[in-house]
Amino acid sequence: MFSEYTTEELQNIFMMQGFSGLSLFSVLLLMGLGLALIFGQMGVINMAHGEFMALGAYTVYFCSTLTEQYAPAFGPYYFICAIGIAFLVCALVGALVEFLMIRHLYHRPLDTLLATWGLSLIMQQTYRSLFGAREVTPTLPEWLMGSFNLKEGLDIPINGVFVLCLALLVTFVMILFMYKSKFGLRLRATVQNRKMSSAVGINTGKVDRVAFSLGCGIAGIAGAAFTTIGSTGPDSGSRYIVDAFLVVVFGGAANMLGCVASAFGIAQAQSILEFFLEGTKGKVATLLVIVVALMLRPQGLFPSKVRGH
Amino acid sequence: MAFFRTLFKTRGEAVSFACFALLILVILPLALPVFRLNLVGKYLSYGFVGIGLVLLWGRCGILSLGQGVFFGLGGYCMAMFLKLEASDPVTTAIQSTPGIPDFMDWNQLTALPKFWEPFHSFPFTVLAIFVVPGLVAFLIGWAMFRRRVGGVYFAIITQAIALILSLGIDGNQGYTGGRNGITDLRTLMGWDIRSEHAQQVLYFICVLLLLGSALFAKYIINTRFGRVLMAVRDQEERVRFSGYDVAMIRTFTFTVAAMLAGLGGALFVLQVGFMSPSLIGIVPSIELVIFAAVGGRLSVVGAMVGCLLVNFSKSAFSEAYPDLWLYLMGGTFIAVVMFFPDGLAGLFTKWGTIKNRAAALLARFRPASATTPNASQPAK
């Protein structure tokens, strides 16, 4: 499959596809980070995670429409605020969902899967009723358009660079938060031994709620990032849900760095294979490799070394 | 008599099974026109998956989100046989390569792919309907249960497999018919399966096989093996320490459930007349789980009733209120999972407790200063 290209062409193809893979990597990483909190740390299978991503994307779209209508002068800057708003909206909805539904199901992890799937149906239909079945795109500010021209036949789009930086920033903040803050300490303690944490005075119920809404908030940021590279429809989120779960499981559930590594591997493999194999075959090949790898090594790439429970 | 006792532990079980058998064997065929009966037959072919899920999920505690895979594999085996019969050289004479299925011709294939060849034979096809899903399930189950992968991880990986298979079939149009699936199936060994009479006969074949499978599942559940299954679900470590091979027990159950799903898929194809990847992917696989959950994951009859009920309300509601349907379905599902984890069948068996609770609740709201002497009586 490589023989029909010259070496230089191959090099450019790899650079281009590799870079478009980086955009996919950013979205998968942000989705995966949220899931790593919700699924990896708390053991809740949130099938509606994709819908939270779509919620973030729709929030950005809504902000964009509002800005255009009422404050066109604010246009170049609204996107930064919209990311924050998307985070807040998703975190709030997440907290509500945790309070009404998830907190009653912590001792039945398989049932959280089914209940959140019901939730995802409802959320999808809500988007369809509110925003229509057609895909929408927010108006992006000028500075996100265009591309850097590195050399002949090689263009790097600015929005891709922006999304990548955003994803890396969020990852960095998350790692700081998990390993350097008081709350991160409480969260890790709760994950390792819930009863003991409760006994030493940690409010585990509150920890759960904050962790869940934080995970949903990060999904919201993923949605905001997603708007810069694709258009949003009611079922945009559900297209990424399996990939996101595989990122988390393949990376080793609770491990943040594993999550980064597996998101990178999955995204790059998909993006580069997509160019050489037609249609969905690239995706099928990637998924197949991951599933076989998980069957042989169920603990993932970087299993966490602490004992659970 | 002893065998009868193995099948039905209580009188209630026997009565509910008999009522359901009466409903689908006598009442529905008498009451419904053939078109509707054919729809019921389609829903009942999901019932096979439901029975498998009762064994696998309800009794053994393994949730598979990839039952659509096995349903699809069984269905595709049947569809390949029927498609080969429908594309004999005479009817396909106008194609550039006569004698191969039409979609292959459209995709510039000039010869039948190797893996299609054996599906010329009916006995092979019948065998394949059981063996192909069973073998796939055995390999997946053996690889994963031996490494003690279970619960949540198993669910996610089976879901990924469902996605892989549906995308894979979708992407290889020349070999599988692609997104449209295998359509335009006409005859089974020269017998026109689209006629009204054939649809009636197929309905009864489906019902008899379904009832047979249900009895088989009940047999498994009520023998000693069924008790071990439940023990694996509730206390995996203790069962392992008692010397049972937990991985093998799980693999066996998963394989049985997959074979049942494959049979269901084959009967689906015979009654509906097509097979496509849209019946395999993530959403249909989860829907199959929903049917079983609504009906009751612990009860064989409950799961079959669940398939009928959810599908009936789906076709009724989604025709009348397409927007409301998804809200209703999502809402019902959340409610079932949160408040009635054992589904309708659970409500049925707990009817006594519910009645007492409801009476107690009503009594609480009754005004304390009621004039009737009865109301003040319990206060003493």
Side-chain angles (χ1 to χ4, degrees):
Chain A
M1 68 191 200
F2 296 129
S3 54
E4 56 222 80
Y5 303 98
T6 65
T7 328
E8 192 172 357
E9 270 174 345
L10 268 184
Q11 212 173 11
N12 280 351
I13 288 168
F14 269 96
M15 289 284 277
M16 290 280 278
Q17 287 305 114
F19 200 82
S20 82
L22 284 183
S23 300
L24 181 62
F25 161 67
S26 317
V27 173
L28 283 186
L29 176 59
L30 287 170
M31 287 277 280
L33 279 180
L35 268 188
L37 256 184
I38 293 174
F39 171 64
Q41 306 278 357
M42 299 158 69
V44 171
I45 320 176
N46 186 14
M47 292 298 283
H49 203 70
E51 275 62 42
F52 278 100
M53 182 189 115
L55 181 63
Y58 275 118
T59 310
V60 172
Y61 170 71
F62 189 65
C63 290
S64 140
T65 324
L66 277 188
T67 317
E68 262 180 11
Q69 214 153 24
Y70 297 107
F74 193 51
Y77 318 106
Y78 90 92
F79 194 74
I80 305 287
C81 302
I83 295 174
I85 297 174
F87 175 81
L88 285 180
V89 168
C90 290
L92 278 179
V93 176
L96 190 69
V97 167
E98 203 274 350
F99 179 73
L100 291 177
M101 206 164 92
I102 309 289
R103 109 190 129 102
H104 306 287
L105 297 171
Y106 279 122
H107 54 288
R108 295 189 278 158
L110 283 180
D111 286 1
T112 60
L113 189 162
L114 302 172
T116 50
W117 197 72
L119 178 71
S120 83
L121 283 185
I122 292 177
M123 287 173 83
Q124 274 183 31
Q125 188 56 38
T126 313
Y127 302 149
R128 214 166 278 135
S129 316
L130 287 179
F131 298 96
R134 285 183 42 209
E135 301 203 331
V136 297
T137 330
T139 329
L140 293 176
E142 291 277 323
W143 52 268
L144 268 176
M145 305 300 202
S147 58
F148 304 118
N149 194 310
L150 284 191
K151 61 173 186 175
E152 193 65 29
L154 186 64
D155 290 314
I156 302 295
I158 295 176
N159 57 5
V161 179
F162 175 76
V163 169
L164 183 64
C165 293
L166 181 67
L168 292 179
L169 179 72
V170 172
T171 314
F172 183 66
V173 172
M174 266 289 284
I175 290 178
L176 272 189
F177 183 72
M178 286 293 292
Y179 293 97
K180 294 287 174 214
S181 77
K182 273 267 171 61
F183 177 79
L185 186 68
R186 287 193 202 118
L187 176 64
R188 282 180 292 136
T190 310
V191 168
Q192 285 182 21
N193 196 327
R194 177 170 295 268
K195 272 187 190 155
M196 200 54 165
S197 314
S198 184
V200 296
I202 296 173
N203 183 347
T204 53
K206 194 176 146 200
V207 167
D208 286 336
R209 186 158 320 143
V210 174
F212 190 85
S213 58
L214 195 63
C216 292
I218 296 172
I221 298 182
F226 178 75
T227 55
T228 65
I229 54 173
S231 47
T232 315
D235 59 348
S236 294
S238 56
R239 265 181 254 152
Y240 285 89
I241 189 73
V242 173
D243 290 30
F245 269 114
L246 286 181
V247 162
V248 176
V249 176
F250 193 51
N255 191 317
M256 297 273 160
L257 285 176
C259 187
V260 178
S262 74
F264 186 78
I266 292 174
Q268 289 301 338
Q270 267 189 32
S271 166
I272 289 176
L273 281 177
E274 224 158 54
F275 188 86
F276 292 105
L277 303 171
E278 52 193 293
T280 50
K281 280 178 194 164
K283 180 154 188 168
V284 172
T286 320
L287 289 179
L288 208 58
V289 169
I290 297 166
V291 165
V292 171
L294 278 177
M295 282 183 185
L296 299 177
R297 193 180 157 81
Q299 67 273 43
L301 289 177
F302 307 99
S304 51
K305 298 217 166 52
V306 287
R307 281 187 300 161
H309 314 293
Chain B
M1 202 57 206
F3 183 67
F4 186 78
R5 285 240 177 79
T6 323
L7 289 180
F8 305 106
K9 274 273 141 79
T10 61
R11 190 194 284 169
E13 272 181 47
V15 169
S16 64
F17 186 82
C19 285
F20 184 70
L22 189 73
L23 176 75
I24 60 174
L25 259 180
V26 183
I27 298 176
L28 287 180
L30 285 178
L32 295 176
V34 177
F35 167 71
R36 291 276 162 193
L37 196 65
N38 183 242
L39 270 184
V40 177
K42 173 181 156 187
Y43 304 155
L44 287 178
S45 59
Y46 297 133
F48 288 90
V49 187
I51 295 174
L53 277 170
V54 169
L55 285 176
L56 186 66
W57 181 34
R59 297 286 160 173
C60 197
I62 305 162
L63 177 57
S64 159
L65 292 183
Q67 290 308 93
V69 167
F70 308 117
F71 186 80
L73 285 175
Y76 264 99
C77 287
M78 194 74 229
M80 281 158 85
F81 173 77
L82 295 177
K83 189 69 192 172
L84 282 181
E85 199 177 297
S87 36
D88 58 297
V90 183
T91 34
T92 55
I94 50 159
Q95 291 177 178
S96 44
T97 318
I100 62 172
D102 44 12
F103 59 84
M104 292 185 186
D105 198 56
W106 302 333
N107 284 283
Q108 281 92 41
L109 258 66
T110 49
L112 199 63
K114 277 276 175 304
F115 71 98
W116 275 72
E117 289 290 350
F119 288 95
H120 276 299
S121 135
F122 186 63
F124 176 85
T125 306
V126 173
L127 199 67
I129 285 166
F130 292 100
V131 171
V132 172
L135 196 66
V136 172
F138 180 81
L139 291 177
I140 295 173
W142 186 235
M144 293 180 63
F145 295 134
R146 204 159 40 108
R147 292 185 173 79
R148 300 192 188 172
V149 178
V152 177
Y153 288 83
F154 189 77
I156 289 172
I157 291 178
T158 46
Q159 184 173 49
I161 293 172
L163 180 65
I164 291 173
L165 190 71
S166 63
L167 281 180
I169 290 176
D170 200 326
N172 292 294
Q173 207 181 7
Y175 297 97
T176 60
R179 184 163 301 173
N180 302 326
I182 301 182
T183 53
D184 205 13
L185 308 171
R186 297 181 197 129
T187 55
L188 174 72
M189 314 199 20
W191 179 50
D192 190 351
I193 54 170
R194 291 169 305 175
S195 68
E196 286 208 339
H197 176 252
Q199 292 196 335
Q200 272 176 324
V201 174
L202 285 171
Y203 174 81
F204 282 107
I205 292 176
C206 176
V207 165
L208 289 177
L209 283 172
L210 182 71
L211 293 176
S213 311
L215 288 179
F216 171 66
K218 274 193 166 296
Y219 180 75
I220 288 188
I221 288 171
N222 287 338
T223 48
R224 263 184 49 144
F225 183 76
R227 297 195 163 256
V228 178
L229 273 190
M230 270 210 283
V232 168
R233 179 190 70 191
D234 296 337
Q235 285 291 344
E236 183 190 338
E237 290 300 317
R238 284 194 203 176
V239 179
R240 188 173 285 126
F241 291 151
S242 316
Y244 288 96
D245 187 347
V246 171
M248 204 62 228
I249 291 170
R250 285 187 164 156
T251 311
F252 172 80
T253 318
F254 188 45
T255 311
V256 168
M259 285 174 156
L260 283 174
L263 178 61
L267 287 165
F268 177 90
V269 168
L270 280 174
Q271 295 182 85
V272 181
F274 79 98
M275 190 72 214
S276 86
S278 63
L279 295 159
I280 292 179
I282 296 176
V283 175
S285 295
I286 293 191
E287 278 183 343
L288 290 169
V289 173
I290 292 189
F291 303 156
V294 170
R297 65 181 85 168
L298 290 173
S299 154
V300 174
V301 176
M304 294 189 289
V305 173
C307 290
L308 276 186
L309 214 60
V310 176
N311 278 299
F312 259 128
S313 39
K314 185 177 184 172
S315 65
F317 270 98
S318 57
E319 276 165 26
Y321 316 98
D323 290 349
L324 269 182
W325 164 244
L326 277 178
Y327 287 120
L328 192 74
M329 175 128 156
T332 313
F333 202 47
I334 293 175
V336 165
V337 169
M338 292 191 63
F339 305 114
F340 320 109
D342 293 338
L344 286 177
L347 278 185
F348 193 69
T349 45
K350 280 186 204 134
W351 176 237
T353 344
I354 289 170
K355 219 162 51 178
N356 290 343
R357 280 221 194 123
L361 206 68
L362 278 181
R364 202 193 291 171
F365 287 116
R366 208 172 285 159
S369 58
T371 45
T372 48
N374 282 353
S376 56
Q377 209 73 19
K380 283 179 187 174

